[in-house]
Amino acid sequence: MIKITVIAVGKLNEKHWADAAAEYVKRLGAYCRPNIIEIAEARLPDKPSPAEIAKALETEGKTILAQIPPKATVIALCIEGKAMPSEELAEFIGKTAGEHSHIVFVIGGSHGLCPDVKARAGLKLSMSAMTFPHRLARVMLLEQVYRAFAINAGARYHK
């Protein structure tokens, strides 16, 4: 069974986000071995300089990269990534699941992802041209991964 890991910068402190994410992790258990890894967001001053942001992203990036197994397929969620419909994501996951045993999705914090993490990714994925809080993005990603597995299984969830 394929393992799906979501590495996310920051915690889901609000109960409604945590409950929603937990529901999709539970549903994913029918199709894969889901795993969530939360890493601490680097602390920054209220008005950080570009250099301070770059240093914070580098620190987060090192922690993220240390969590990724060497042979895992990595998908980085980033604004410049490719937007795709649910069916195309399902096709990508299905193909990848046939070739690899572990897919890792990475969600950055409020300042995005370190260039080294993006470089490690085999796919850069955009959820939308709109901006979402990264806590909501985690719930949306888990729902879309669940939807992808449901599509591939021919389940009625996807309409």
Side-chain angles (χ1 to χ4, degrees), residues 57-58 61-62 65 68 113-121:
L57 290 177
E58 182 182 335
K62 286 179 182 176
L65 291 170
I68 299 173
L113 286 170
C114 168
D116 291 341
V117 173
K118 292 178 188 181
R120 172 66 176 83

Side-chain angles (χ1 to χ4, degrees), residues 101-150:
S101 61
H102 198 166
I103 299 174
V104 176
F105 291 89
V106 183
I107 303 171
S110 58
H111 292 285
L113 286 170
C114 168
D116 291 341
V117 173
K118 292 178 188 181
R120 172 66 176 83
L123 173 66
K124 293 180 197 110
L125 180 66
S126 172
M127 297 290 289
S128 169
M130 293 184 277
T131 302
F132 298 102
H134 58 277
R135 288 165 180 84
L136 176 57
R138 187 186 318 184
V139 174
M140 291 170 54
L141 171 66
L142 289 167
E143 190 281 335
Q144 283 298 299
V145 172
Y146 172 72
R147 182 178 298 272
F149 277 101

Side-chain angles (χ1 to χ4, degrees), residues 7-22:
I7 300 174
V9 176
K11 296 192 176 294
L12 293 181
N13 294 326
E14 299 89 350
K15 184 177 179 343
H16 55 280
W17 295 135
D19 288 349

Side-chain angles (χ1 to χ4, degrees), residues 67-89:
Q67 297 291 328
I68 299 173
K71 294 185 179 184
T73 297
V74 178
I75 301 171
L77 275 69
C78 47
I79 194 86
E80 71 273 16
K82 177 183 180 180
M84 58 177 64
S86 299
E87 296 84 0
E88 188 176 345
L89 180 61

